[in-house]
Amino acid sequence: MRAIQKFCLFLLLASFCWLAPLQRLNARTPTSLPPERRSSADSSATNSKRAFARTASPGLAAPASGGLREVIEDRYKSRYQEWKREFLSTDIGRAQWEMYVHHPRLVLTITVAGNNRNGAGTGKYKWNDAGELIAATIVLGSQADQGYPSSVYYPVMNALEPFESRQLIGGSVLAATKIAHEFGHVIKIASTPEALYLLQTQLVPVYNKIFLSNGYNVSDPRLVELAKKMGGNPVELWEDREYWGEANAMLFLRDRVAKERFHCRLFGKIKHAVEEYAKNYEERFAEIAKSQGATYACSWK
Ligand SMILES: [Zn+2]
């Protein structure tokens, strides 16, 4: 796929997972505040604040330690429980969920919203003074059990489509796969230095603006310099993040469909899309394919 086409697709899809962190930047509170104050000062996190108010001790705006907070409106509760049950039906889903339930520092909030209905996003990141991630929010679209994103950036979620149309899986498997994808973002961001993340968030719009006005010339010295500072151009940064999300989605599906007859067909479809669009990132997917139990393993090579 040509670089310009990929860049345009990146701009088109950016709302799926990228915009939430961008919007977060301006609302971010000073790091000199203690964690409790930072949460209470966050005017953009109204829903999270309501959740904190319900779960924290009286007088505190946020819990002193980490944990998992589910902030789900009544109208979405039933479908959310179904998606969650699907996610927790796997060993990996349970393990990751428990990790955040008992996390010593990180407050992971999960909510469902009506905008970006078929999508999902992760953002509202906060770090403490020691550089550790202490807050993140996953927003699931209210119809996350529908809609298959492009195979270019979402080779795992996209691969499910024919299996749903043949009624081999239900929409809740798709929604649970989206949850796994978002968990992949949280896991990855926890190992990303705050300064690098903020630098990328600030410079990506600058890069895009120049790119769109210089005749799509990626060799422009200004863009070369910006990419060097950020650790890659926006498409490369985007791909790397999304493919980490997809790798975690694949980990979930590895367990979820392990005993299904179509297991190897699904993995074959993922492999085909990875080879077509994500060749530079194949290793992370191949590792997961190889980690299958011997009984159910299907060949990746
Ligand atoms: Zn994503």
Side-chain angles (χ1 to χ4, degrees), residues 96-263:
Q96 293 186 349
W97 192 271
E98 285 298 308
M99 177 177 77
Y100 289 117
V101 165
H102 301 293
H103 200 286
R105 292 174 306 277
L106 174 65
V107 176
L108 177 59
T109 302
I110 301 180
T111 189
V112 176
N115 52 343
N116 194 11
R117 286 182 306 168
N118 299 144
T122 301
K124 296 186 179 176
Y125 302 125
K126 290 176 190 161
W127 287 263
N128 63 15
D129 292 339
E132 297 162 325
L133 190 69
I134 56 164
T137 296
I138 291 174
V139 181
L140 301 170
S142 58
Q143 291 173 23
D145 52 357
Q146 297 170 31
Y148 294 85
S150 155
S151 60
V152 178
Y153 290 120
Y154 304 99
V156 177
M157 289 192 275
N158 180 273
L160 286 170
E161 187 167 18
F163 300 94
E164 188 185 11
S165 60
R166 281 180 230 147
Q167 300 185 323
L168 292 169
I169 60 158
S172 56
V173 174
L174 174 63
T177 308
K178 288 178 183 176
I179 293 175
H181 176 103
E182 298 308 320
F183 268 58
H185 284 314
V186 178
I187 291 165
K188 187 61 189 163
I189 202 73
S191 64
T192 303
E194 177 187 15
L196 177 62
Y197 174 78
L198 293 178
L199 183 72
Q200 291 171 346
T201 308
Q202 284 169 335
L203 296 186
V204 163
V206 178
Y207 186 108
N208 292 347
K209 197 172 173 189
I210 296 172
F211 180 81
L212 292 172
S213 63
N214 76 354
Y216 308 127
N217 176 18
V218 289
S219 304
D220 185 324
R222 292 171 298 170
L223 297 188
V224 172
E225 185 60 26
L226 281 170
K228 207 167 133 191
K229 279 186 188 167
M230 293 190 287
N233 68 38
V235 172
E236 290 164 341
L237 299 176
W238 161 267
E239 286 177 341
D240 187 49
R241 278 185 201 182
E242 291 314 311
Y243 293 144
W244 277 121
E246 286 295 272
N248 204 53
M250 187 174 171
L251 214 46
F252 163 74
L253 285 179
R254 180 200 62 184
D255 287 0
R256 175 59 183 78
V257 304
K259 294 176 186 173
E260 305 281 359
R261 280 191 301 139
F262 60 87
H263 176 207

